[in-house]
Amino acid sequence: MHKFRLKFAIRSLMKSRVYTLLNVMGLAIGLGVCIIVFLYLRSEITYDQHIPNYKEIYRVSSVFRVDEQLEEYGGAGVGLAPLLEREFPYVEGTTRLIHINESVLFKRPGVQAGNAGVALADRNYFRVFELPFLAGNPDNALSKPQSIVITRSFAEKYFEEELPLGQVINTNNYEYTVTGIIDDFPANTHHIFSALISSFYQDEKLESWENSLWQIEAHTFLRLNKPTEAGQLTESFPGFYDKYMAESGSGLQAGYDINLTRLDKVHFNNHVKYDQSSGNRGYLYAFSGIGLLILVLACINYVNMATVRSLRRIKEAGMQKVLGAGKREIVYQVLIESLVLGAAALLVALATVELVLEFTPLNSIMNKDLSLNLSRYSSLWWLAPLFAAIIAFLSGWFPAIYLSNVPALAAIKKGLVKRNRGLGVRKLLVGFQFTASVAVVITATLMYQQMDYVKQKDLGFNKEDVLLIPIRDTLTARSISDIRQKLARSPYVKSSSSAQTIPGKSVDRIVINFPGMEGVASQQVVDFMMVGADYFQTMEMEFVKGQGFNGQPEELETYPVVVNEAMVRMMGWKDPIGQQVEIVAPGQAENYPGQVIGVVRDFNAHSLHDDIEPTIMTYQEETAGYLHVRVDSENLLSALNDLEKTFAKLTPGVPFQFSFLNRDLFKLYEEEQRQSQLILYLTYLAIFISFLGLTGLASFTTNLKTREIGIRKVLGADVRQVVSLVFREMLWLIIISVVLALPLAYILTRGWLSNFAYTTNLHPLIFVSSGLLAILLAYIIISYHSIKIARVKAVDTLKYE
Amino acid sequence: MIHLHHLVKTYNTRSVETRAISEVSLKVDRGEFVSVMGPSGCGKTTLLNIIGLLDSYDSGLYIFNDTDVRNLSEREKVKLRKGNIGFIFQNFNLLDELSVFENIELPLVYLGVKSGERKKRVDRILEQIGLGHRSAHSPYELSGGQQQRVAIGRAIVTNPALILADEPTGNLDSQHGNEIMEMLSNLNEAGSTIIMVTHSMNDAAYTNRIIKLVDGHIVSEKQLLHA
């Protein structure tokens, strides 16, 4: 019996192939998006859960209280861990970890040198983090100085065929012995490094431990046996504070406390500073919302199209009833069809998800490594079919009930079933689809416009054609003058300069005293940059007054400084040139006296999320930072060639790396870029699904009107009049949808744009043209269907029914 | 088997009330072959639909096989209809998705007959209607006469006590029409009770009794004696 029904369902679906194809596609899109969202959510909420004992590990964060302000940092002083272990015997173990943010150059004879991300850890790391070892002994892997534990991919890169255990590998300054190999980390971890170096071997005395407590140096982790011990520890911490920190605290006029966060909860603690966590719950909700929206749009489609199809099956259902089928049997039959469709859609969805994750940049856009990995997501294999079945069941319900209510007489008599029953609901559903689609179209357009604005905006310097070469080692820093001299001879290099930082990347803040001013105005915190000779020329910055630096000043009483217009405005200087400033150097007895020699036009030293700050710049030639090289864009390759040769000669052994300033700057908007990309994908899907939905409704409406159209044609109506007859019916629906979509898009976009200090204008034309475009699109779809019917011979349409 | 007593059926369209069946009383015994005749719109099909439990009536009494059907729920009517009544229509009403075999099989599926038994019974029917060689074909690949034979096969596969036929030869030429009438006649001789609506005197001549309906009233009844 079931087999018979299944056969009937498949035949019936195969008979209306176009319908089945569209429906499977629509449903597959909804399911596919949900599967991707599921993988994404799973990856987000299982951070660090690859560590077998993650439930026992707690991260210690430091809460400082200064001037009644609380600030939380994801690290602590290096002495905190051993002191906690000493004071609280139930602490099973502690460990400290420091991430080295710049990658480190590793060398081995016979192997291409390369950079790798490393972290420093104390000897207890693997006693707290019970990571399985592929080789070596976790108990003593980090117990000797100059030991290194490497990941599988690090081993494959530097040791190729050899067995790495016990072998030696070098950096510029040190030699390390491999003492252990662990597996690579999944993408959803905060412990991102490919090698772990043993550290913290200084003579650790109680006194130095105590002194370290006010500094943030290392991520500190505790291992506790019972969850209640975490609360116990934080409750009894004030005793610890009184014993070790109260005295120094009162001198600093500050307070200190700790917070314990279980390892797997660290990810969403993103208010914490000095932290690796990057989780954003808002983003999580938004992403789930998008998934749900697409699914709802897809289900609406399914219901619509299945109901349209039901119209053509009224007679069939009636006939089945005459032959003895009850209501239940009809419902059963339609639901089986729905399940068959759902199963097909699930297969298509799984295949599509696999292809999308494998061959499109979606993973890199989301900064994830999602895949349909069965062993990793075993739950997916029963969840996905179950979910598909539920969706198919729910979507199939409406058409099933619709058909099962058809009386048996419908097989024989015409006009017995009100064919436009439920039309209002369907119009509402399609209207919802349309509103959502128009809203995302407008949102995507505005996001795109803002990203374009970010790319085009005049930043106060010329970001094009500037190459950046990082200066990370002392050899390169000391060779800067030589390098620049050599580069000056290249016909492809226009100008070059060193600077400690690049715009948009961690510009320092510094305290400046203004002698001669009084009260609040006598001391200000401003942006601070150290730049080399020719910096302003290389960056093509404009001077409003005065000039830039001319080489190293001789032993002067005052240091020349350049300021921006924002600084002049803040200080209210009528004549800025010659103004005196004092740069406060923290930890040093004396301040540096300075004198303004030039004012540059305001420039965006930060990303466009932030306003331009008052900025002060001093001269420093040999500094760690970046060499800025303005090249001839026509001869980029020759310029690069010259650069590489120069560096190879003057800084042998240092790998030549470079980037483009304009691209680095655009990376500041990675998050927004990612969001606008995702919204763009969403837009394609929403448009596609709404197109299906509108197609369904248009074909439904024209079907209802077949007879009317026939009669009108007999009476002399032409094709255009027939189209407008159908279009008029749906025009209001579309107009209302568009009108609702406009404010929705406005609200969505404004929230997103509020992240930027500099934004493009929300031009009303975008809203109007998107709305008109939507109406036009709808008109085309509706025309297609009405013309199809209008073209049929009037006699044939009259025979209909 | 069938007992109608002062049956009334009215249709209400806006303010106009139309009496489709007016005070019809009729008895049909087991083994009879009755034809219902009359002009278009006289209520023949409505009467057939009521007898077939496809349509309701407003007043009067209808007893089918000793059961008063007045207060039966839709589900009970389905149950009573299944296996007891077979239908044959002027336009065949075969399902295009299914093969000839499966079309005939369908009522057995709804009756919950096991698959092995179904095959046996359908094969027997196919032989009886002379379409064994066409069993895997789709209905639209057959001629009109063949399609009607499939429809008859479908109507009799459950061995129903009653067969209702609504102008079974209406869409067929006279040669195929006679074939179908022969077939119904044979079924009747084998014991089936048949009620048939028809316009054709030729077809009515195959039956035992002719009932004439005008404006919802039975105006005459005529017994036919066959040699």
Side-chain angles (χ1 to χ4, degrees), chain A residues 1 4 7 11 315-316 319-322 324 408-409 413, chain B residues 11 49 55 81-82 87 89 93 97 102 105 109-110 154:
Chain A
M1 182 124 156
F4 187 92
K7 197 160 64 179
R11 294 254 185 91
K315 200 164 169 155
E316 178 191 314
M319 198 53 220
Q320 279 175 288
K321 280 200 168 174
V322 168
L409 262 186
K413 275 194 164 176
Chain B
Y11 288 117
N49 289 339
D55 209 347
R81 197 157 64 218
K82 264 198 242 188
F87 292 88
F89 301 99
N93 278 331
E97 287 87 352
E102 288 157 349
E105 189 186 10
V109 171
Y110 293 133
R154 184 176 65 180

PDB file of all heavy atoms in Angstrom, chain A residues 1 4 7 11 315-316 319-322 324 408-409 413, chain B residues 11 49 55 81-82 87 89 93 97 102 105 109-110 154:
ATOM      1  N   MET A   1       0.828  -1.201   0.000  1.00  0.00           N
ATOM      2  CA  MET A   1       0.000   0.000   0.000  1.00  0.00           C
ATOM      3  C   MET A   1       0.863   1.252   0.000  1.00  0.00           C
ATOM      4  O   MET A   1       0.673   2.164  -0.781  1.00  0.00           O
ATOM      5  CB  MET A   1      -0.876  -0.021   1.252  1.00  0.00           C
ATOM      6  CG  MET A   1      -1.798   1.158   1.291  1.00  0.00           C
ATOM      7  SD  MET A   1      -3.486   0.597   1.443  1.00  0.00           S
ATOM      8  CE  MET A   1      -4.261   1.990   2.147  1.00  0.00           C
ATOM      9  N   PHE A   4       2.646   1.539  -3.243  1.00  0.00           N
ATOM     10  CA  PHE A   4       1.740   2.026  -4.281  1.00  0.00           C
ATOM     11  C   PHE A   4       1.633   3.541  -4.230  1.00  0.00           C
ATOM     12  O   PHE A   4       1.714   4.240  -5.223  1.00  0.00           O
ATOM     13  CB  PHE A   4       0.359   1.386  -4.078  1.00  0.00           C
ATOM     14  CG  PHE A   4      -0.590   1.692  -5.200  1.00  0.00           C
ATOM     15  CD1 PHE A   4      -0.677   0.833  -6.278  1.00  0.00           C
ATOM     16  CD2 PHE A   4      -1.376   2.834  -5.181  1.00  0.00           C
ATOM     17  CE1 PHE A   4      -1.544   1.104  -7.318  1.00  0.00           C
ATOM     18  CE2 PHE A   4      -2.240   3.115  -6.227  1.00  0.00           C
ATOM     19  CZ  PHE A   4      -2.321   2.233  -7.298  1.00  0.00           C
ATOM     20  N   LYS A   7       4.758   5.243  -5.369  1.00  0.00           N
ATOM     21  CA  LYS A   7       4.843   5.197  -6.828  1.00  0.00           C
ATOM     22  C   LYS A   7       3.925   6.272  -7.427  1.00  0.00           C
ATOM     23  O   LYS A   7       4.324   7.027  -8.307  1.00  0.00           O
ATOM     24  CB  LYS A   7       4.397   3.804  -7.281  1.00  0.00           C
ATOM     25  CG  LYS A   7       4.784   3.444  -8.670  1.00  0.00           C
ATOM     26  CD  LYS A   7       4.735   1.932  -8.851  1.00  0.00           C
ATOM     27  CE  LYS A   7       3.314   1.410  -8.691  1.00  0.00           C
ATOM     28  NZ  LYS A   7       3.209  -0.042  -8.892  1.00  0.00           N
ATOM     29  N   ARG A  11       5.136   9.411  -9.716  1.00  0.00           N
ATOM     30  CA  ARG A  11       4.565   9.602 -11.060  1.00  0.00           C
ATOM     31  C   ARG A  11       3.919  10.974 -11.175  1.00  0.00           C
ATOM     32  O   ARG A  11       4.104  11.686 -12.141  1.00  0.00           O
ATOM     33  CB  ARG A  11       3.493   8.566 -11.323  1.00  0.00           C
ATOM     34  CG  ARG A  11       4.010   7.197 -11.389  1.00  0.00           C
ATOM     35  CD  ARG A  11       4.052   6.687 -12.813  1.00  0.00           C
ATOM     36  NE  ARG A  11       4.471   5.303 -12.739  1.00  0.00           N
ATOM     37  CZ  ARG A  11       3.616   4.295 -12.633  1.00  0.00           C
ATOM     38  NH1 ARG A  11       2.322   4.523 -12.672  1.00  0.00           N
ATOM     39  NH2 ARG A  11       4.054   3.073 -12.541  1.00  0.00           N
ATOM     40  N   LYS A 315     -10.223  17.455  -9.796  1.00  0.00           N
ATOM     41  CA  LYS A 315     -10.969  16.363 -10.400  1.00  0.00           C
ATOM     42  C   LYS A 315     -10.381  15.016  -9.994  1.00  0.00           C
ATOM     43  O   LYS A 315     -11.091  14.081  -9.647  1.00  0.00           O
ATOM     44  CB  LYS A 315     -10.905  16.521 -11.921  1.00  0.00           C
ATOM     45  CG  LYS A 315     -11.985  15.766 -12.579  1.00  0.00           C
ATOM     46  CD  LYS A 315     -12.181  16.206 -13.990  1.00  0.00           C
ATOM     47  CE  LYS A 315     -13.102  15.186 -14.608  1.00  0.00           C
ATOM     48  NZ  LYS A 315     -13.844  15.645 -15.705  1.00  0.00           N
ATOM     49  N   GLU A 316      -9.053  14.977 -10.011  1.00  0.00           N
ATOM     50  CA  GLU A 316      -8.356  13.750  -9.650  1.00  0.00           C
ATOM     51  C   GLU A 316      -8.701  13.346  -8.206  1.00  0.00           C
ATOM     52  O   GLU A 316      -8.985  12.180  -7.928  1.00  0.00           O
ATOM     53  CB  GLU A 316      -6.846  14.000  -9.793  1.00  0.00           C
ATOM     54  CG  GLU A 316      -5.995  12.836  -9.400  1.00  0.00           C
ATOM     55  CD  GLU A 316      -4.527  13.245  -9.299  1.00  0.00           C
ATOM     56  OE1 GLU A 316      -4.052  13.940 -10.227  1.00  0.00           O
ATOM     57  OE2 GLU A 316      -3.885  12.898  -8.293  1.00  0.00           O
ATOM     58  N   MET A 319     -12.160  12.047  -8.003  1.00  0.00           N
ATOM     59  CA  MET A 319     -12.214  10.695  -8.559  1.00  0.00           C
ATOM     60  C   MET A 319     -11.714   9.666  -7.559  1.00  0.00           C
ATOM     61  O   MET A 319     -12.298   8.597  -7.394  1.00  0.00           O
ATOM     62  CB  MET A 319     -11.366  10.664  -9.841  1.00  0.00           C
ATOM     63  CG  MET A 319     -11.670   9.487 -10.727  1.00  0.00           C
ATOM     64  SD  MET A 319     -13.428   9.400 -11.085  1.00  0.00           S
ATOM     65  CE  MET A 319     -13.669   7.644 -10.993  1.00  0.00           C
ATOM     66  N   GLN A 320     -10.614  10.035  -6.864  1.00  0.00           N
ATOM     67  CA  GLN A 320     -10.079   9.117  -5.860  1.00  0.00           C
ATOM     68  C   GLN A 320     -11.118   8.853  -4.779  1.00  0.00           C
ATOM     69  O   GLN A 320     -11.248   7.752  -4.286  1.00  0.00           O
ATOM     70  CB  GLN A 320      -8.816   9.694  -5.241  1.00  0.00           C
ATOM     71  CG  GLN A 320      -7.577   9.480  -6.114  1.00  0.00           C
ATOM     72  CD  GLN A 320      -6.381  10.163  -5.537  1.00  0.00           C
ATOM     73  OE1 GLN A 320      -6.286  11.387  -5.573  1.00  0.00           O
ATOM     74  NE2 GLN A 320      -5.479   9.398  -4.969  1.00  0.00           N
ATOM     75  N   LYS A 321     -11.866   9.911  -4.460  1.00  0.00           N
ATOM     76  CA  LYS A 321     -12.890   9.742  -3.426  1.00  0.00           C
ATOM     77  C   LYS A 321     -14.001   8.828  -3.922  1.00  0.00           C
ATOM     78  O   LYS A 321     -14.497   7.980  -3.181  1.00  0.00           O
ATOM     79  CB  LYS A 321     -13.461  11.099  -3.020  1.00  0.00           C
ATOM     80  CG  LYS A 321     -12.554  11.832  -2.048  1.00  0.00           C
ATOM     81  CD  LYS A 321     -13.316  12.878  -1.297  1.00  0.00           C
ATOM     82  CE  LYS A 321     -12.520  13.404  -0.131  1.00  0.00           C
ATOM     83  NZ  LYS A 321     -13.189  14.515   0.532  1.00  0.00           N
ATOM     84  N   VAL A 322     -14.405   8.999  -5.199  1.00  0.00           N
ATOM     85  CA  VAL A 322     -15.436   8.129  -5.763  1.00  0.00           C
ATOM     86  C   VAL A 322     -15.004   6.675  -5.663  1.00  0.00           C
ATOM     87  O   VAL A 322     -15.787   5.788  -5.365  1.00  0.00           O
ATOM     88  CB  VAL A 322     -15.692   8.508  -7.240  1.00  0.00           C
ATOM     89  CG1 VAL A 322     -16.528   7.441  -7.924  1.00  0.00           C
ATOM     90  CG2 VAL A 322     -16.362   9.859  -7.324  1.00  0.00           C
ATOM     91  N   GLY A 324     -13.300   5.365  -3.459  1.00  0.00           N
ATOM     92  CA  GLY A 324     -13.225   4.834  -2.111  1.00  0.00           C
ATOM     93  C   GLY A 324     -12.209   5.475  -1.198  1.00  0.00           C
ATOM     94  O   GLY A 324     -12.018   5.034  -0.074  1.00  0.00           O
ATOM     95  N   ALA A 408     -16.372  14.346  -3.391  1.00  0.00           N
ATOM     96  CA  ALA A 408     -16.252  13.345  -4.446  1.00  0.00           C
ATOM     97  C   ALA A 408     -16.958  13.804  -5.719  1.00  0.00           C
ATOM     98  O   ALA A 408     -16.519  13.524  -6.825  1.00  0.00           O
ATOM     99  CB  ALA A 408     -16.853  12.032  -3.958  1.00  0.00           C
ATOM    100  N   LEU A 409     -18.043  14.568  -5.523  1.00  0.00           N
ATOM    101  CA  LEU A 409     -18.810  15.054  -6.674  1.00  0.00           C
ATOM    102  C   LEU A 409     -17.987  15.890  -7.632  1.00  0.00           C
ATOM    103  O   LEU A 409     -18.334  16.026  -8.804  1.00  0.00           O
ATOM    104  CB  LEU A 409     -19.972  15.903  -6.173  1.00  0.00           C
ATOM    105  CG  LEU A 409     -21.312  15.211  -6.075  1.00  0.00           C
ATOM    106  CD1 LEU A 409     -22.364  16.232  -5.710  1.00  0.00           C
ATOM    107  CD2 LEU A 409     -21.658  14.560  -7.410  1.00  0.00           C
ATOM    108  N   LYS A 413     -18.946  17.023 -11.279  1.00  0.00           N
ATOM    109  CA  LYS A 413     -19.574  18.327 -11.456  1.00  0.00           C
ATOM    110  C   LYS A 413     -18.538  19.427 -11.497  1.00  0.00           C
ATOM    111  O   LYS A 413     -17.536  19.377 -10.795  1.00  0.00           O
ATOM    112  CB  LYS A 413     -20.522  18.592 -10.292  1.00  0.00           C
ATOM    113  CG  LYS A 413     -21.878  18.008 -10.505  1.00  0.00           C
ATOM    114  CD  LYS A 413     -22.803  18.611  -9.498  1.00  0.00           C
ATOM    115  CE  LYS A 413     -24.244  18.373  -9.898  1.00  0.00           C
ATOM    116  NZ  LYS A 413     -25.126  18.878  -8.867  1.00  0.00           N
TER     117      LYS A 413
ATOM    118  N   TYR B  11     -31.678  22.726  -5.093  1.00  0.00           N
ATOM    119  CA  TYR B  11     -30.475  23.572  -5.195  1.00  0.00           C
ATOM    120  C   TYR B  11     -30.896  24.997  -4.942  1.00  0.00           C
ATOM    121  O   TYR B  11     -31.912  25.452  -5.485  1.00  0.00           O
ATOM    122  CB  TYR B  11     -29.862  23.491  -6.593  1.00  0.00           C
ATOM    123  CG  TYR B  11     -29.174  22.180  -6.871  1.00  0.00           C
ATOM    124  CD1 TYR B  11     -29.631  21.336  -7.873  1.00  0.00           C
ATOM    125  CD2 TYR B  11     -28.052  21.808  -6.112  1.00  0.00           C
ATOM    126  CE1 TYR B  11     -28.994  20.145  -8.125  1.00  0.00           C
ATOM    127  CE2 TYR B  11     -27.416  20.608  -6.373  1.00  0.00           C
ATOM    128  CZ  TYR B  11     -27.885  19.775  -7.373  1.00  0.00           C
ATOM    129  OH  TYR B  11     -27.270  18.610  -7.628  1.00  0.00           O
ATOM    130  N   ASN B  49     -26.116  10.240  -8.392  1.00  0.00           N
ATOM    131  CA  ASN B  49     -25.118  10.644  -7.396  1.00  0.00           C
ATOM    132  C   ASN B  49     -25.622  10.404  -5.979  1.00  0.00           C
ATOM    133  O   ASN B  49     -24.851  10.033  -5.093  1.00  0.00           O
ATOM    134  CB  ASN B  49     -24.738  12.112  -7.568  1.00  0.00           C
ATOM    135  CG  ASN B  49     -23.909  12.337  -8.828  1.00  0.00           C
ATOM    136  OD1 ASN B  49     -23.303  11.394  -9.338  1.00  0.00           O
ATOM    137  ND2 ASN B  49     -23.918  13.557  -9.336  1.00  0.00           N
ATOM    138  N   ASP B  55     -23.738  12.496  -3.285  1.00  0.00           N
ATOM    139  CA  ASP B  55     -24.461  13.748  -3.071  1.00  0.00           C
ATOM    140  C   ASP B  55     -25.478  13.540  -1.947  1.00  0.00           C
ATOM    141  O   ASP B  55     -25.863  12.414  -1.646  1.00  0.00           O
ATOM    142  CB  ASP B  55     -25.176  14.155  -4.379  1.00  0.00           C
ATOM    143  CG  ASP B  55     -25.322  15.675  -4.470  1.00  0.00           C
ATOM    144  OD1 ASP B  55     -25.113  16.363  -3.441  1.00  0.00           O
ATOM    145  OD2 ASP B  55     -25.647  16.170  -5.574  1.00  0.00           O
ATOM    146  N   ARG B  81     -19.424   2.960   0.640  1.00  0.00           N
ATOM    147  CA  ARG B  81     -19.230   3.020  -0.804  1.00  0.00           C
ATOM    148  C   ARG B  81     -18.136   2.050  -1.240  1.00  0.00           C
ATOM    149  O   ARG B  81     -18.254   1.366  -2.249  1.00  0.00           O
ATOM    150  CB  ARG B  81     -18.837   4.450  -1.165  1.00  0.00           C
ATOM    151  CG  ARG B  81     -18.987   4.790  -2.610  1.00  0.00           C
ATOM    152  CD  ARG B  81     -19.132   6.285  -2.791  1.00  0.00           C
ATOM    153  NE  ARG B  81     -17.938   6.993  -2.375  1.00  0.00           N
ATOM    154  CZ  ARG B  81     -17.955   8.162  -1.750  1.00  0.00           C
ATOM    155  NH1 ARG B  81     -19.091   8.762  -1.460  1.00  0.00           N
ATOM    156  NH2 ARG B  81     -16.826   8.741  -1.415  1.00  0.00           N
ATOM    157  N   LYS B  82     -17.049   2.035  -0.451  1.00  0.00           N
ATOM    158  CA  LYS B  82     -15.897   1.192  -0.769  1.00  0.00           C
ATOM    159  C   LYS B  82     -16.323  -0.245  -0.941  1.00  0.00           C
ATOM    160  O   LYS B  82     -16.900  -0.847  -0.035  1.00  0.00           O
ATOM    161  CB  LYS B  82     -14.899   1.222   0.386  1.00  0.00           C
ATOM    162  CG  LYS B  82     -13.768   2.215   0.227  1.00  0.00           C
ATOM    163  CD  LYS B  82     -12.640   1.861   1.178  1.00  0.00           C
ATOM    164  CE  LYS B  82     -12.415   2.980   2.165  1.00  0.00           C
ATOM    165  NZ  LYS B  82     -11.215   2.778   2.989  1.00  0.00           N
ATOM    166  N   PHE B  87     -18.437   2.771  -9.991  1.00  0.00           N
ATOM    167  CA  PHE B  87     -18.916   3.867 -10.856  1.00  0.00           C
ATOM    168  C   PHE B  87     -18.325   3.785 -12.252  1.00  0.00           C
ATOM    169  O   PHE B  87     -17.153   3.487 -12.432  1.00  0.00           O
ATOM    170  CB  PHE B  87     -18.529   5.217 -10.259  1.00  0.00           C
ATOM    171  CG  PHE B  87     -19.247   5.551  -8.981  1.00  0.00           C
ATOM    172  CD1 PHE B  87     -18.741   5.143  -7.748  1.00  0.00           C
ATOM    173  CD2 PHE B  87     -20.420   6.291  -8.998  1.00  0.00           C
ATOM    174  CE1 PHE B  87     -19.393   5.444  -6.582  1.00  0.00           C
ATOM    175  CE2 PHE B  87     -21.070   6.595  -7.829  1.00  0.00           C
ATOM    176  CZ  PHE B  87     -20.561   6.180  -6.603  1.00  0.00           C
ATOM    177  N   PHE B  89     -18.259   6.360 -15.758  1.00  0.00           N
ATOM    178  CA  PHE B  89     -18.655   7.693 -16.229  1.00  0.00           C
ATOM    179  C   PHE B  89     -18.591   7.789 -17.744  1.00  0.00           C
ATOM    180  O   PHE B  89     -17.856   7.045 -18.400  1.00  0.00           O
ATOM    181  CB  PHE B  89     -17.730   8.762 -15.641  1.00  0.00           C
ATOM    182  CG  PHE B  89     -17.724   8.777 -14.134  1.00  0.00           C
ATOM    183  CD1 PHE B  89     -16.717   8.158 -13.416  1.00  0.00           C
ATOM    184  CD2 PHE B  89     -18.743   9.409 -13.450  1.00  0.00           C
ATOM    185  CE1 PHE B  89     -16.724   8.171 -12.043  1.00  0.00           C
ATOM    186  CE2 PHE B  89     -18.753   9.432 -12.074  1.00  0.00           C
ATOM    187  CZ  PHE B  89     -17.740   8.808 -11.366  1.00  0.00           C
ATOM    188  N   ASN B  93     -12.889   9.121 -16.771  1.00  0.00           N
ATOM    189  CA  ASN B  93     -12.230   9.541 -15.532  1.00  0.00           C
ATOM    190  C   ASN B  93     -11.144   8.591 -15.052  1.00  0.00           C
ATOM    191  O   ASN B  93     -11.075   8.233 -13.885  1.00  0.00           O
ATOM    192  CB  ASN B  93     -13.260   9.726 -14.408  1.00  0.00           C
ATOM    193  CG  ASN B  93     -13.925  11.081 -14.488  1.00  0.00           C
ATOM    194  OD1 ASN B  93     -13.306  12.030 -14.970  1.00  0.00           O
ATOM    195  ND2 ASN B  93     -15.159  11.175 -14.046  1.00  0.00           N
ATOM    196  N   GLU B  97      -1.751   9.439 -14.447  1.00  0.00           N
ATOM    197  CA  GLU B  97      -0.458   9.095 -13.837  1.00  0.00           C
ATOM    198  C   GLU B  97      -0.272   7.589 -13.739  1.00  0.00           C
ATOM    199  O   GLU B  97       0.832   7.109 -13.568  1.00  0.00           O
ATOM    200  CB  GLU B  97      -0.344   9.660 -12.417  1.00  0.00           C
ATOM    201  CG  GLU B  97      -0.132  11.155 -12.339  1.00  0.00           C
ATOM    202  CD  GLU B  97      -1.449  11.895 -12.358  1.00  0.00           C
ATOM    203  OE1 GLU B  97      -2.494  11.245 -12.583  1.00  0.00           O
ATOM    204  OE2 GLU B  97      -1.437  13.112 -12.166  1.00  0.00           O
ATOM    205  N   GLU B 102      -2.741  -0.246 -12.885  1.00  0.00           N
ATOM    206  CA  GLU B 102      -2.829   0.479 -11.612  1.00  0.00           C
ATOM    207  C   GLU B 102      -4.172   1.181 -11.430  1.00  0.00           C
ATOM    208  O   GLU B 102      -4.676   1.290 -10.316  1.00  0.00           O
ATOM    209  CB  GLU B 102      -1.682   1.494 -11.514  1.00  0.00           C
ATOM    210  CG  GLU B 102      -0.340   0.814 -11.284  1.00  0.00           C
ATOM    211  CD  GLU B 102       0.825   1.681 -11.724  1.00  0.00           C
ATOM    212  OE1 GLU B 102       0.590   2.724 -12.407  1.00  0.00           O
ATOM    213  OE2 GLU B 102       1.965   1.317 -11.411  1.00  0.00           O
ATOM    214  N   GLU B 105      -6.360  -1.292 -10.184  1.00  0.00           N
ATOM    215  CA  GLU B 105      -5.902  -1.718  -8.857  1.00  0.00           C
ATOM    216  C   GLU B 105      -6.343  -0.735  -7.755  1.00  0.00           C
ATOM    217  O   GLU B 105      -6.547  -1.112  -6.596  1.00  0.00           O
ATOM    218  CB  GLU B 105      -4.366  -1.799  -8.899  1.00  0.00           C
ATOM    219  CG  GLU B 105      -3.726  -2.422  -7.669  1.00  0.00           C
ATOM    220  CD  GLU B 105      -2.200  -2.333  -7.743  1.00  0.00           C
ATOM    221  OE1 GLU B 105      -1.688  -1.626  -8.639  1.00  0.00           O
ATOM    222  OE2 GLU B 105      -1.544  -2.950  -6.911  1.00  0.00           O
ATOM    223  N   VAL B 109      -6.583  -0.880  -3.475  1.00  0.00           N
ATOM    224  CA  VAL B 109      -5.628  -0.234  -2.572  1.00  0.00           C
ATOM    225  C   VAL B 109      -6.392   0.455  -1.447  1.00  0.00           C
ATOM    226  O   VAL B 109      -6.059   0.308  -0.265  1.00  0.00           O
ATOM    227  CB  VAL B 109      -4.761   0.797  -3.325  1.00  0.00           C
ATOM    228  CG1 VAL B 109      -3.925   1.618  -2.343  1.00  0.00           C
ATOM    229  CG2 VAL B 109      -3.859   0.103  -4.326  1.00  0.00           C
ATOM    230  N   TYR B 110      -7.448   1.187  -1.819  1.00  0.00           N
ATOM    231  CA  TYR B 110      -8.223   1.899  -0.810  1.00  0.00           C
ATOM    232  C   TYR B 110      -8.970   0.930   0.096  1.00  0.00           C
ATOM    233  O   TYR B 110      -9.291   1.253   1.224  1.00  0.00           O
ATOM    234  CB  TYR B 110      -9.197   2.876  -1.460  1.00  0.00           C
ATOM    235  CG  TYR B 110      -8.499   4.014  -2.152  1.00  0.00           C
ATOM    236  CD1 TYR B 110      -8.851   4.402  -3.434  1.00  0.00           C
ATOM    237  CD2 TYR B 110      -7.470   4.697  -1.506  1.00  0.00           C
ATOM    238  CE1 TYR B 110      -8.200   5.433  -4.071  1.00  0.00           C
ATOM    239  CE2 TYR B 110      -6.815   5.737  -2.136  1.00  0.00           C
ATOM    240  CZ  TYR B 110      -7.182   6.112  -3.423  1.00  0.00           C
ATOM    241  OH  TYR B 110      -6.540   7.131  -4.032  1.00  0.00           O
ATOM    242  N   ARG B 154     -12.354  -1.215 -13.544  1.00  0.00           N
ATOM    243  CA  ARG B 154     -12.094  -0.566 -12.268  1.00  0.00           C
ATOM    244  C   ARG B 154     -13.347  -0.609 -11.391  1.00  0.00           C
ATOM    245  O   ARG B 154     -13.266  -0.761 -10.175  1.00  0.00           O
ATOM    246  CB  ARG B 154     -11.671   0.883 -12.527  1.00  0.00           C
ATOM    247  CG  ARG B 154     -11.291   1.633 -11.271  1.00  0.00           C
ATOM    248  CD  ARG B 154     -10.801   3.017 -11.611  1.00  0.00           C
ATOM    249  NE  ARG B 154     -11.878   3.827 -12.201  1.00  0.00           N
ATOM    250  CZ  ARG B 154     -11.728   5.095 -12.592  1.00  0.00           C
ATOM    251  NH1 ARG B 154     -10.551   5.684 -12.482  1.00  0.00           N
ATOM    252  NH2 ARG B 154     -12.726   5.756 -13.102  1.00  0.00           N
TER     253      ARG B 154
END
